[in-house]
Amino acid sequence: MTSIFKRALGADFARLHPQLQRRFGVSVAGGQACVGTGVMEQIWHAGFTRPFLALGGTRNILVPEQGRQVPFTIENYPYVDSYGRETVSFVRTFDLPGRPRRFDAQMVYDPARGIVDYLGSHQHLAVDLDLQVDERGGMVIRSGGFRFHEGWFSCRLPAIMTGTAVVRESYDDEAGEFRVGVTVSHSRLGPMFGYWGAFRARYVDVTEHGVPAVIKPRREEARV
């Protein structure tokens, strides 16, 4: 079985930079995970967002602190979740002064929606993602509709309550590293949160070493 990102992009997957093809090509069948380590040049947020970021931080959603030159890791492990879906983790750990912060996401492929991103340690938020390849072979990911799931309750969140995230990832051949930038903006309030930086990647044999339990969410959600 091909990677969930190759299924989502189809023929456009071949337009990605070869290093991005390898990174976004991780799959259960391939037996490898991608672990990146690097430095975020800046993590920032608008002042009015701090209470919301602090609330999200209790469930590993976004980061309430700001910082410069922050060491971080990103762990992309493919595995099959408890509902039988191939999943790829996007677990980012930021080594901020005082305490590390995690921003967790687990991505699955849904035939009707494409890539669905579950955010946080308990997968309360599900987000549709639109994937595109830019003219230089970089990956561009834009968030779409948000749904909230908790127990019996489930609803679609109105746009006024959410922002739009844009993730841009590329590969710098000269530096031999990946570049990543994330911006979350609100249609009325403007830029809300973001970070950018660079990292190098290594590939881990999942068949030999397995998937670390700490990578997986504490609760999994069946609803997309």
Side-chain angles (χ1 to χ4, degrees):
M1 184 177 290
T2 58
S3 79
I4 63 172
F5 302 103
K6 189 170 184 178
R7 277 179 269 170
L9 281 170
D12 278 347
F13 188 84
R15 295 177 50 229
L16 285 170
H17 186 285
Q19 291 293 340
L20 288 174
Q21 289 187 44
R22 184 180 184 190
R23 174 165 151 66
F24 285 97
V26 297
S27 65
V28 171
Q32 283 193 326
C34 179
V35 178
T37 56
V39 174
M40 283 299 170
E41 297 174 22
Q42 185 172 7
I43 303 172
W44 61 272
H45 63 254
F48 68 87
T49 65
R50 182 168 176 76
F52 304 102
L53 295 177
L55 178 62
T58 64
R59 293 297 175 92
N60 293 350
I61 302 175
L62 302 178
V63 180
E65 288 84 12
Q66 302 186 85
R68 292 182 179 273
Q69 302 301 311
V70 178
F72 81 102
T73 61
I74 179 166
E75 298 173 277
N76 303 115
Y77 278 85
Y79 64 94
V80 177
D81 73 4
S82 58
Y83 298 104
R85 301 172 299 188
E86 177 152 0
T87 305
V88 178
S89 69
F90 274 71
V91 174
R92 289 141 287 198
T93 303
F94 303 93
D95 190 13
L96 287 152
R99 63 170 296 183
R101 285 285 189 179
R102 275 180 51 157
F103 180 10
D104 293 4
Q106 316 289 334
M107 299 187 187
V108 304
Y109 177 77
D110 180 76
R113 293 185 176 276
I115 297 291
V116 176
D117 191 11
Y118 290 100
L119 300 180
S121 57
H122 292 67
Q123 296 194 345
H124 289 310
L125 290 175
V127 188
D128 295 330
L129 298 182
D130 175 66
L131 276 58
Q132 296 181 349
V133 181
D134 68 22
E135 66 280 0
R136 297 185 178 181
M139 177 76 88
V140 182
I141 304 174
R142 289 182 172 84
S143 65
F146 283 72
R147 277 89 58 198
F148 178 80
H149 304 303
E150 170 57 32
W152 59 267
F153 182 75
S154 180
C155 72
R156 184 181 180 90
L157 297 178
I160 193 67
M161 293 179 60
T162 65
T164 299
V166 179
V167 181
R168 296 182 182 276
E169 189 166 319
S170 60
Y171 189 78
D172 186 330
D173 286 290
E174 185 174 341
E177 61 186 13
F178 294 88
R179 302 287 305 176
V180 61
V182 175
T183 303
V184 180
S185 301
H186 190 274
S187 58
R188 296 185 182 179
L189 301 176
M192 300 168 62
F193 169 85
Y195 56 77
W196 64 84
F199 63 93
R200 294 176 182 268
R202 60 185 176 89
Y203 293 87
V204 178
D205 188 337
V206 178
T207 58
E208 179 180 353
H209 300 287
V211 178
V214 295
I215 291 299
K216 298 181 179 182
R218 297 179 187 177
R219 165 188 174 272
E220 291 182 337
E221 176 58 59
R223 293 165 291 189
V224 295

